[in-house]
Amino acid sequence: MPFLKLIRAPAGFTAISNILATSVIVSNGQLDWSLLYLLSASVCFYFSGMTLNDCFDYKEDLAERAFRPLPSGQISIGFAWLFGFGLMIAGLGMAFAFSQASGVIGMFLCLAIVLYNGVIKDGLLGSFCMASCRYVNWIFGASFVLMFATSKQSLSQNLSSIDYFIAVPIFFYIAGLTYLSKQETSAANKQAVWVTAFFIFCSAISSLFLAHMHFELFDWQRYIAYGIVILWSLLMLNKLRVVFADFVPENIQKLIGFMVIGVIPLDALITAMAGHYLYSLFILALLPPCRMLNKKLYVT
């Protein structure tokens, strides 16, 4: 249980949904068992990031979150450092096992994780740094398209063949989520709700752009895409409205937990926007086990 708490086990499903969504989109639904390399690597990267987050925040947690596995002594800080970087190395190994380009993207993901946890965590810049972790994780999943590449292609050609725009909605979503999460304990800046609402709006606009210009869809599929983006936007803005009306740590924490788990339906939404409706339902099937685990283990 202490290890499951340390790695925020329920949120691991969101890393899986990232990889599934983007790999389905870039491959037009042509998946095979080699995807397990990217799925396993992504989960390792995510759990590594969660572990290292607590390692870097150890002194702060001693004062503010003494119940956590590290400050409470359930897991030693020395072992946690080894565990966190061990997961990162394991993730890189599986990434390079899939392709050289996937390994390079994995290295950028590791860099983003370390930068956020140890260097750039506060303010708007910290929110962008955290969002870049999810963005690169989506791009990591998009590297699945390289299974169709020829052996003659160079590393630069492989990297240039990846669709980098499809991850923009998730970048804005995570930036808003992270910015609001800084208010979880203090609730000192109510204006953070407006900043988060702006990022939700940016996520919706970029999603609409994907549906209108980026994905090859029939007219009726575009109308479906527009509809689900609008419904999702209204749901998120309503959640923010409720928190703004009663801006206290308890409500903020509940919303942040909802938004972290909400990565799964957002991934499913973007997959459906691309016209892969059955796969979007498959991704949504990750939601129940994630929510069940969240009843016993926190995700933030």
Side-chain angles (χ1 to χ4, degrees):
M1 186 62 73
F3 277 99
L4 294 176
K5 290 180 179 179
L6 179 67
I7 62 176
R8 281 76 158 179
F13 287 100
T14 67
I16 294 173
S17 72
N18 288 165
I19 302 300
L20 284 175
T22 186
S23 60
V24 165
I25 293 170
V26 300
S27 70
N28 198 28
Q30 299 180 53
L31 305 184
D32 67 17
W33 291 105
S34 65
L35 181 62
L36 289 175
Y37 283 107
L38 300 183
L39 288 169
S40 301
S42 178
V43 171
C44 284
F45 290 140
Y46 192 91
F47 289 159
S48 169
M50 294 297 99
T51 301
L52 294 177
N53 177 76
D54 280 20
C55 290
F56 281 107
D57 288 351
Y58 180 66
K59 291 183 179 179
E60 179 183 334
D61 287 347
L62 280 173
E64 297 183 4
R65 306 174 189 88
F67 60 90
R68 294 283 297 144
L70 298 189
S72 66
Q74 297 176 75
I75 301 173
S76 72
I77 182 65
F79 183 81
W81 281 111
L82 291 174
F83 183 63
F85 282 113
L87 285 171
M88 187 172 286
I89 293 170
L92 280 174
M94 285 179 279
F96 276 106
F98 183 82
S99 74
Q100 184 183 14
S102 297
V104 170
I105 296 170
M107 292 175 66
F108 278 105
L109 179 52
C110 292
L111 176 62
I113 289 170
V114 173
L115 279 176
Y116 174 76
N117 284 328
V119 183
I120 311 172
K121 183 171 284 188
D122 297 324
L124 192 59
L125 189 59
S127 299
F128 287 153
C129 190
M130 180 64 203
S132 70
C133 294
R134 281 286 185 175
Y135 174 86
V136 179
N137 193 51
W138 252 71
I139 300 304
F140 182 66
S143 70
F144 181 70
V145 75
L146 300 179
M147 70 171 290
F148 302 103
T150 65
S151 58
K152 295 180 180 180
Q153 288 182 312
S154 65
L155 174 61
S156 60
Q157 287 175 321
N158 283 333
L159 290 173
S160 64
S161 67
I162 295 173
D163 186 350
Y164 291 93
F165 191 82
I166 58 171
V168 171
I170 198 75
F171 175 88
F172 286 126
Y173 179 82
I174 297 300
L177 184 164
T178 306
Y179 192 81
L180 184 61
S181 73
K182 305 305 178 183
Q183 306 301 316
E184 278 187 295
T185 56
S186 63
N189 180 17
K190 195 173 184 178
Q191 301 308 311
V193 176
W194 288 104
V195 176
T196 301
F198 171 75
F199 282 124
I200 293 296
F201 175 76
C202 291
S203 182
I205 291 298
S206 56
S207 296
L208 290 172
F209 177 83
L210 285 176
H212 187 68
M213 300 290 293
H214 204 67
F215 297 146
E216 295 182 3
L217 302 172
F218 297 108
D219 286 342
W220 63 270
Q221 290 177 312
R222 285 196 178 89
Y223 296 143
I224 291 175
Y226 300 157
I228 57 180
V229 171
I230 291 171
L231 288 175
W232 174 82
S233 302
L234 292 175
L235 170 65
M236 295 307 307
L237 293 176
N238 183 61
K239 290 284 186 181
L240 289 171
R241 179 191 62 80
V242 172
V243 169
F244 188 80
D246 191 9
F247 196 70
V248 295
E250 182 181 0
N251 289 340
I252 298 169
Q253 291 164 13
K254 288 180 180 178
L255 178 58
I256 296 303
F258 174 85
M259 291 183 72
V260 170
I261 296 175
V263 169
I264 294 174
L266 178 56
D267 289 341
L269 180 150
I270 298 173
T271 305
M273 283 171 44
H276 301 286
Y277 304 117
L278 289 179
Y279 276 114
S280 69
L281 293 176
F282 183 77
I283 292 170
L284 271 180
L286 297 172
L287 195 57
C290 180
R291 291 180 63 85
M292 287 178 63
L293 272 179
N294 185 226
K295 292 180 180 179
K296 296 184 178 181
L297 300 163
Y298 38 73
V299 295
T300 68

